[in-house]
Amino acid sequence: EYLQGTRGGIGNKNPISGNYGVNNEGSGDMYAKGANLLNTIRSIYDNDELWWKTLKDYTETYRHKIITTEETENYFNAAISYDLKPVLDQYLRNAALPSLQFRKKNGKV
């Protein structure tokens, strides 16, 4: 319920990730949209024990270090052997809301 409540405050005007090397912080949506991103990744994991272990290991691995977005993406991808790039691209690098698409099991729309 909390996360659903935060969604109304997301403006989706700019991507969360700013341009590197040009003192560009990205969107102010980073907090609410970032929380929803983490919740989406948690649902993709579909294993709370692994999710919480991954978060703990991530913070221990990178404590007191400066890292890149790519290092973070690779870390979470490796933990579940899954390519999170489409989800991360949508949340971090695109401002607009995605359109919902689905396919039936036989591959037809």
Side-chain angles (χ1 to χ4, degrees):
E1 289 178 23
Y2 173 78
L3 283 171
Q4 287 178 347
T6 66
R7 293 175 189 155
I10 299 172
N12 293 310
K13 293 180 182 171
N14 297 304
I16 290 177
S17 291
N19 298 317
Y20 287 106
V22 293
N23 195 24
N24 179 269
E25 292 183 5
S27 170
D29 288 340
M30 69 180 78
Y31 301 107
K33 204 168 183 180
N36 281 276
L37 168 60
L38 290 173
N39 190 61
T40 299
I41 294 171
R42 180 181 178 190
S43 70
I44 292 169
Y45 268 55
D46 196 26
N47 178 333
D48 269 353
E49 185 177 331
L50 177 60
W51 169 248
W52 293 114
K53 179 184 181 327
T54 303
L55 281 180
K56 183 177 183 221
D57 292 348
Y58 171 79
T59 59
E60 289 175 355
T61 300
Y62 295 110
R63 179 182 14 218
H64 305 302
K65 294 181 182 173
I66 297 172
I67 61 171
T68 65
T69 303
E70 182 180 6
E71 288 172 298
T72 300
E73 292 176 18
N74 291 338
Y75 191 90
F76 282 87
N77 282 339
I80 59 169
S81 301
Y82 187 83
D83 183 11
L84 294 167
K85 185 174 178 9
V87 174
L88 295 166
D89 282 347
Q90 181 59 52
Y91 274 91
L92 299 176
R93 297 176 191 94
N94 292 298
L97 293 172
S99 60
L100 177 63
Q101 299 176 5
F102 65 94
R103 296 189 187 279
K104 295 180 181 181
K105 284 189 176 186
N106 64 7
K108 296 181 181 177
V109 177

